[in-house]
Amino acid sequence: MMKKIAERMRGCIETLSLSALLVINLSFMVLLMLGLCTVLVVTGADGGFIYHDGRVGIWGALCFIYAVCSLIAVSMVVMMRMVFIHPLQRNIEAMKKLANGDFTVRVNHAEHGYVPREMVEFEQSFNKAAEELGGTEILRKDFINNFSHEFKTPIVSISGFADLLLEEQLPPEDQKEYLTIIRDESRRLADLATNILTLNRVESQTILTDKAAFPLDEQLRQSVLVTQQKWRQKELDFDADLVPAEYTGSEGLLKEVWLNLLDNAAKFSPEGGTVAVNLRKAKSALMVSVTDQGEGMSADTQAHIFEQFYQGDTSHTTQGNGLGLAMVKKVLELHGGSIQVNSAPGQGSCFTVTLPI
């Protein structure tokens, strides 16, 4: 019982603000001196210095005031040093480490006794900021590594086949094959640069400045035609069920969303397969779904599919760069929307976009 009471009192004390602690300290010092003076007067130990013949002595009153002020001053210095200066110095050291690039640094007030509530909130915010910066640094390093790899691969390929064309007398069939590879790798580089520029642009945005009303169904229909032409060699069947709908948003950015989703669906669908596109109205949103008949994805792949440079199916790495879905998610977030994927190995994939209206 006593242990629970002590823990509860400790919890109450730890939630005190610095202002409350100062008030309590002042009150305690005053009450302490009043109690001491009362004992001296009652016992007669003051010799009439403080209280004599029903009157308070002027010198006794002044001494009392001076003693109270001195005790308050000393207690304030001690308290400020223990509960404010020491934690502040510790936090300054942690901030210096953070500024020098140590994103693993954390401060823990529980290791240093009582800390004012304001300081606890500051330390919690500091730890959260350090954690976010650490995550950002990891993403930055991963981005640089992946970016370098993605750029280097097609450049090496282009350089190698160009050397073969320059150094050897090749039959026309081989020349055509090598030139086709060089063309495809060049397009891959161009697509990579375009996606990086688009992703960089949307990541730096917090609001949409080019919002306008446009027919969403017509935009989806045009995107289907573009994708169908691009993947005509696979003889895919595009099944579009689009209800008339007008939406207010960034027409250019949303066009990139549909082209990316449709391009992925066509890429992973088997030859002669079907890509289904559906647009329907919900109570307070527009729902767009893109469904393919590909090999589907595992739960682990679905958990990482919207990360930059992530490619769950490595057999198609030469046809993409892993930036498209990361850009799609960011664009939809700018519109206040979201995207979900429903997939399973051997059952294809369905991406559903929700746009609030």
Side-chain angles (χ1 to χ4, degrees), residues 139-267:
L139 289 176
R140 186 187 68 83
K141 290 180 179 179
D142 288 345
F143 179 85
I144 292 174
N145 292 335
N146 291 327
F147 180 83
S148 301
H149 173 75
E150 290 293 333
F151 253 86
K152 181 180 179 181
T153 302
I155 290 174
V156 170
S157 180
I158 292 171
S159 176
F161 284 108
D163 289 339
L164 288 175
L165 288 171
L166 289 172
E167 296 174 1
E168 300 183 16
Q169 296 295 326
L170 300 173
E173 302 84 31
D174 290 345
Q175 290 183 12
K176 183 177 180 180
E177 180 182 358
Y178 294 168
L179 287 171
T180 301
I181 293 174
I182 291 175
R183 182 201 63 190
D184 293 342
E185 291 298 286
S186 300
R187 289 178 177 175
R188 182 182 170 194
L189 270 177
D191 290 341
L192 178 60
T194 300
N195 283 339
I196 287 176
L197 289 173
T198 304
L199 183 60
N200 183 64
R201 179 162 66 94
V202 298
E203 282 189 334
S204 63
Q205 284 185 249
T206 55
I207 59 172
L208 294 170
T209 57
D210 58 343
K211 293 176 68 173
F214 63 92
L216 185 61
D217 55 315
E218 184 60 30
Q219 186 183 61
L220 284 165
R221 190 174 290 108
Q222 293 175 5
S223 300
V224 167
L225 293 175
V226 171
T227 308
Q228 192 173 26
Q229 177 66 19
K230 179 180 178 180
W231 295 91
R232 60 186 181 278
Q233 72 277 9
K234 295 186 74 170
E235 298 181 350
L236 298 172
D237 179 26
F238 285 81
D239 181 15
D241 181 12
L242 310 173
V243 300
E246 188 174 82
Y247 182 73
T248 300
S250 174
E251 187 173 1
L253 289 178
L254 284 176
K255 183 71 173 290
E256 294 295 328
V257 169
W258 314 133
L259 288 176
N260 268 280
L261 292 178
L262 288 167
D263 193 62
N264 282 342
K267 177 169 62 178

Side-chain angles (χ1 to χ4, degrees), residues 268 296-298 300-302 304-305 307 309-317 322 325:
F268 291 105
M297 295 179 285
S298 65
D300 182 64
T301 299
Q302 294 178 57
H304 300 281
I305 197 66
E307 297 176 4
F309 288 109
Y310 182 83
Q311 292 180 287
D313 186 355
T314 56
S315 65
H316 290 82
T317 53
L325 288 177

Side-chain angles (χ1 to χ4, degrees), residues 15 23 33 42 72 220 234 239 241 290 303 328 336 357:
T15 59
V23 172
M33 287 303 300
V42 171
I72 289 176
L220 284 165
K234 295 186 74 170
D239 181 15
D241 181 12
V290 178
V328 164
I357 54 176

